[in-house]
Amino acid sequence: MIPYGKQDIIQADIDAVVAVLKSDFLTQGPQVPAFEKALINATGANYALAVNSATSALHIACLALELGAGDILWTTPITFVASANCGLYCGAEVDFVDIDPATYNLCPQALRLKLIEAKKQNRLPKVLVAVHLCGQPCDMKAIHALAVEYGFKVIEDASHAIGGRYLDSPIGSCEFSDITVFSFHPVKIVTTAEGGATLTNDETLANKMALYRSHGITRDKSLMENTPHGSWYYEQIDLGFNYRMTELQAALGVSQIARLEAFVATRHRLASRYYEKLNDLPITLPYQLPNSYSGLHLFVIRLDLSRISKTHKGVFDELRANGIGVNLHYIPVHLQPYYQRMGFKLGDFPYAESYYTNAISLPMFHGMTDEQQDEVIRKLTDIVMSK
Ligand SMILES: Cc1ncc(COP(=O)(O)O)c(C=O)c1O
């Protein structure tokens, strides 16, 4: 099976991890700060905190923005559930803004209309999670302008987007947001096995997230309530978690991020071949914004089912049966049973639901050979063109 995504591990990655295994620190050593420095260098953000997943990163980002009971978080329905669940972890309510049918990202016009209504009802969101689906940045300038006008905070869920650029800035620079989150799951652009990070330009937010990452414990005397009892002394000053990244993961991250540009460039090369060779099929190829450089985590096509004699599921299943490991990103979050129990239902977000009826993610990963890609192209062509 040609997978839809896969990590690319070279000897330098293995050597970096083995060196940690032979070192004094498996956790809480020098590799995590080194990885954080590499993330700062790659993005231009002032602060980076490595954590054990993007899910944890989203959670502590929401906590740092003081999201809690009685507050509301908005995000897009076309995302992984974690972009919404982080609001629920904090006791907040979650709601969604429909997608732009061209980019599949949260639609800024729909956002504006929903904000106007929410203001009338005194139900404005406190936090918006803007997800850069497939690596393509959201319209952050428009979102930022609305954040200023309506007074909400913005988290960029850039789990798909490290190595990309929005206008003149690397994704993660937080130029138009309060916090950006990355994921380093193996299918993503850069991997640490499991892992994630939060980035911000705000020192207060960075300090809060550092506390939440590690039990709410500090060794900083200036933050303590009591005079230290001795050099062993630490204080728990808030309720935090163990969301720390290990040294093994961080060393892998440092090694991987050295190839960030190459990883994204390969994805662009593979995408160009898809654009060229799939152009005549009854499918919609992903629209790429002219003012940005996508991280291209995913390559999502949409079937024109009026011109194909098979169903969405039929095409998907036939591709899988032919060894093409396609996937579907994502089932609209509001249609998950857990969210439907909160009152969401089919019909709430029509563009997201329509996307779900015909979207398919094609295989795309750094180590993909031209032969593998040609196989995907050939099989897809046969399947959508045959009766
Ligand atoms: C958009 C998005 N947000 C959040 C996550 C959660 O990432 P992690 O698996 O690192 O917790 C993912 C992972 O698939 C994702 O795609």
Side-chain angles (χ1 to χ4, degrees), residues 20 25-37 39 48-54 56-57 60 182-185 190-198 209-210 212-214 241-257:
V20 171
F25 296 99
L26 298 187
T27 187
Q28 293 174 289
Q31 293 299 326
V32 165
F35 184 42
E36 290 169 343
K37 193 154 182 288
L39 289 169
L49 280 105
V51 289
N52 59 0
S53 70
S56 306
I60 60 174
F182 290 136
S183 170
F184 307 118
H185 183 276
V190 159
T191 192
T192 62
E194 296 287 354
T198 63
M209 291 191 287
Y212 290 128
R213 170 173 66 176
S214 196
F241 309 87
N242 182 352
Y243 284 167
R244 294 188 303 260
M245 176 179 273
T246 68
E247 288 286 286
L248 301 163
Q249 292 166 304
L252 179 55
V254 171
S255 177
Q256 285 261 305
I257 212 164

Side-chain angles (χ1 to χ4, degrees), residues 211 214-221 223-237:
L211 269 183
S214 196
H215 307 282
I217 283 174
T218 187
R219 291 180 185 275
D220 178 347
K221 277 187 206 149
L223 299 176
M224 290 181 184
E225 288 181 18
N226 302 312
T227 311
H229 305 164
S231 55
W232 66 85
Y233 191 71
Y234 58 83
E235 269 186 3
Q236 184 190 343
I237 57 172

Side-chain angles (χ1 to χ4, degrees), residues 8 25-26 43 56 59 76 93 95 110-111 115 122 177 189 194 206-207 221 225 234 247 264 278 283 313 340 365 372:
D8 189 77
F25 296 99
L26 298 187
T43 60
S56 306
H59 186 191
T76 165
E93 229 182 280
D95 199 355
L111 174 62
L115 285 165
N122 206 15
S177 67
I189 296 165
E194 296 287 354
N207 288 339
K221 277 187 206 149
E225 288 181 18
Y234 58 83
E247 288 286 286
V264 180
L278 299 177
I283 60 177
K313 183 173 181 303
Q340 291 213 33
F365 50 92
Q372 283 177 312

Side-chain angles (χ1 to χ4, degrees), residues 52-56 58 79-80 82-83 131 133 157-160 181-185 187-188 194-196 297 330:
N52 59 0
S53 70
T55 304
S56 306
L58 286 163
T79 186
F80 186 58
S83 318
V131 181
L133 191 76
D157 182 343
S159 291
H160 299 182
V181 166
F182 290 136
S183 170
F184 307 118
H185 183 276
V187 295
K188 301 295 193 314
E194 296 287 354
H297 164 51
Y330 290 93

Side-chain angles (χ1 to χ4, degrees), residues 75-77 96-100 105-107 110 348-353:
T75 189
T76 165
F96 302 91
V97 180
D98 208 350
I99 60 168
D100 175 329
N105 276 332
L106 184 146
C107 173
D348 284 347
F349 304 100
Y351 287 119
E353 291 163 16

